[in-house]
Amino acid sequence: MASVETVPVQRRALSKVMHAVGKIQYNETGLATVVTRVDGFIEKLFVDTTGVRVHKGDHLAEIYSQDLAVAQRELLLARSSPGGVANLLESTKAKMRQWGVTDAEIEKILQTGKALPYLTRYAPIAGTVTEKMVVAGSFVNRGDVLYRLANLDSVWAALELYEYEISWVQPGQPVELTAEAWPGQTIHGLVTFISPVLKEDTRTITVRVNVDNRAGTLKPGMFVSALIRVQLLADGTPGPTGLAGQFMCPMHPHIVQPTGGTCPLCGMTLQQLPGRAVTVTPEALQVLAVPVSAVLDSGQRRLVYVEKARGEFVPVEISLGPRAGEFYAVVSGLHAGDHVAVRGNFLLDSQFQITGQPSLLSQEGMSPAAHTH
Ligand SMILES: [Zn+2]
């Protein structure tokens, strides 16, 4: 008559879903600064604007250096003097290498007997020129920055997660990102780092997501929305990501392999994601789940009404894991196949309360079996 509706408690795959916002940042492993190691005049800038994409080893600028001219004369003198000057030859070579003259250039000078007019600075990495600090003709001092480069093949998304969410996230966790600039497009990333420090002003913890950006869609400074789906284990704890202990390229997050080594694309040393490789059975991912609508929550206790016989209900106190969509993971108090009221349960509870029986707000006289924690 109370039109109580029940559903059986079942095991099912559950995922806890979290939303977060974040900002795109440079991947710090893909940043480089080009400095001059000699005093001199900028003779020529091959790369004269920011935003230019360069390959590793591309020439960027030529510098005229008096010191270099002197050193090259020494080098040629040492070469042409027979015997006793090997030390001078080697020390001059070493000095020139320190200034950034390549071995190939030194060999060329020695072979041709001709001094290089200028010192050339080359791109140490492939990437985009983000800053150009000098103009042609200017004088630079040793240590001055000429360019800053950033490789944007991979970027970081810095997400802000609340304290209560952080226990759900681990390195290797897949993250789905969306950016306002690309509506409808989902960009995939992997959590690689969780800040050890809480930001006191926002009460959030920064989670770094490494994102493959070879398509060039994400630009540092952009805001992104993140969706994190964490599979739950039967005990209500987060399931393994499957990537713990695996090795990943810091610039190419899609390069993941079980053993260490170097990245086949960029040659960088692969970094190991923290944690131990764990495999779980498909059964372990089947979580005893109760619909959210079945649960009466007093803030202190959580109760469901279980149908013991047709039309006969008893209140059962249950212990719940996290909420996953329209379900809660059940830690204790229920068994698969139990029928719980999902409609009319509030009415049942007030009926129990009125008639002085144990209910949500009154624990008196509840069956001990129901007190499982
Ligand atoms: Zn790589």
Side-chain angles (χ1 to χ4, degrees):
M1 276 197 300
S3 61
V4 176
E5 200 179 296
T6 65
V7 295
V9 175
Q10 288 175 326
R11 292 190 177 275
R12 53 179 76 228
L14 290 186
S15 292
K16 183 178 169 65
V17 175
M18 288 177 287
H19 296 273
V21 289
K23 198 173 180 183
I24 298 298
Q25 298 179 338
Y26 289 108
N27 180 334
E28 283 173 19
T29 58
L31 294 180
T33 303
V34 181
V35 298
T36 173
R37 298 184 189 174
V38 290
D39 294 346
F41 289 95
I42 300 290
E43 187 63 29
K44 187 169 184 180
L45 292 177
F46 293 103
V47 171
D48 206 12
T49 53
T50 55
V52 172
R53 291 183 80 147
V54 294
H55 299 102
K56 183 176 178 175
D58 278 358
H59 56 191
L60 300 175
E62 281 181 347
I63 300 165
Y64 173 76
S65 154
Q66 188 63 41
D67 293 341
L68 180 69
V70 172
Q72 291 187 98
R73 278 202 292 277
E74 276 173 24
L75 187 78
L76 291 173
L77 199 66
R79 181 200 61 156
S80 54
S81 314
V85 284
N87 285 346
L88 179 63
L89 189 66
E90 283 313 311
S91 66
T92 309
K93 276 186 185 178
K95 183 163 67 183
M96 289 172 64
R97 278 192 208 104
Q98 277 192 0
W99 290 343
V101 184
T102 64
D103 283 338
E105 286 169 334
I106 292 172
E107 279 315 307
K108 198 177 167 196
I109 298 162
L110 287 172
Q111 275 170 20
T112 60
K114 272 200 243 164
L116 297 174
Y118 309 112
L119 179 72
T120 310
R121 296 302 283 138
Y122 300 94
I125 60 165
T128 302
V129 176
T130 55
E131 282 182 69
K132 187 200 72 152
M133 319 290 280
V134 286
V135 292
S138 58
F139 185 80
V140 288
N141 291 301
R142 187 176 166 192
D144 282 355
V145 176
L146 307 180
Y147 297 98
R148 291 187 206 282
L149 307 180
N151 186 327
L152 298 173
D153 281 356
S154 146
V155 290
W156 289 348
L159 306 181
E160 298 300 324
L161 267 82
Y162 290 103
E163 275 177 90
Y164 59 82
E165 296 172 315
I166 208 70
S167 64
W168 293 96
V169 183
Q170 48 193 324
Q173 172 67 46
V175 179
E176 295 165 37
L177 300 171
T178 49
E180 259 183 38
W182 311 101
Q185 192 178 330
T186 303
I187 301 155
H188 297 272
L190 284 181
V191 171
T192 51
F193 180 76
I194 296 159
S195 169
V197 182
L198 176 115
K199 282 187 187 166
E200 294 221 22
D201 49 346
T202 54
R203 306 300 299 172
T204 58
I205 293 151
T206 306
V207 170
R208 182 196 298 160
V209 177
N210 202 326
V211 190
D212 185 350
N213 191 42
R214 283 171 301 165
T217 46
L218 298 176
K219 303 185 190 307
M222 271 187 180
F223 287 110
V224 286
S225 300
L227 184 72
I228 306 172
R229 288 177 219 268
V230 183
Q231 273 202 302
L232 296 187
L233 293 178
D235 62 357
T237 58
T241 61
L243 292 177
Q246 302 249 8
F247 292 81
M248 192 187 82
C249 172
M251 285 308 296
H252 299 102
H254 62 288
I255 302 283
V256 178
Q257 57 182 58
T259 52
T262 53
C263 172
L265 295 180
C266 66
M268 260 199 192
T269 306
L270 302 180
Q271 289 175 355
Q272 192 173 24
L273 290 165
R276 212 162 42 83
V278 183
T279 45
V280 291
T281 58
E283 296 82 61
L285 293 169
Q286 292 293 310
V287 186
L288 195 64
V290 64
V292 168
S293 57
V295 179
L296 302 179
D297 192 340
S298 73
Q300 306 278 320
R301 303 161 62 216
R302 288 167 194 92
L303 220 66
V304 291
Y305 278 87
V306 177
E307 190 175 34
K308 288 294 176 191
R310 189 166 158 71
E312 190 186 311
F313 289 87
V314 289
V316 174
E317 192 174 337
I318 56 172
S319 173
L320 295 177
R323 180 174 174 163
E326 286 308 300
F327 294 92
Y328 280 112
V330 180
V331 177
S332 67
L334 284 174
H335 303 279
D338 283 348
H339 279 72
V340 291
V342 288
R343 231 181 67 169
N345 43 351
F346 282 97
L347 201 61
L348 279 172
D349 194 67
S350 52
Q351 205 61 41
F352 271 67
Q353 212 176 312
I354 290 163
T355 53
Q357 295 179 74
S359 64
L360 181 62
L361 297 173
S362 154
Q363 217 167 327
E364 290 299 306
M366 250 178 113
S367 71
H371 285 278
T372 346
H373 288 283

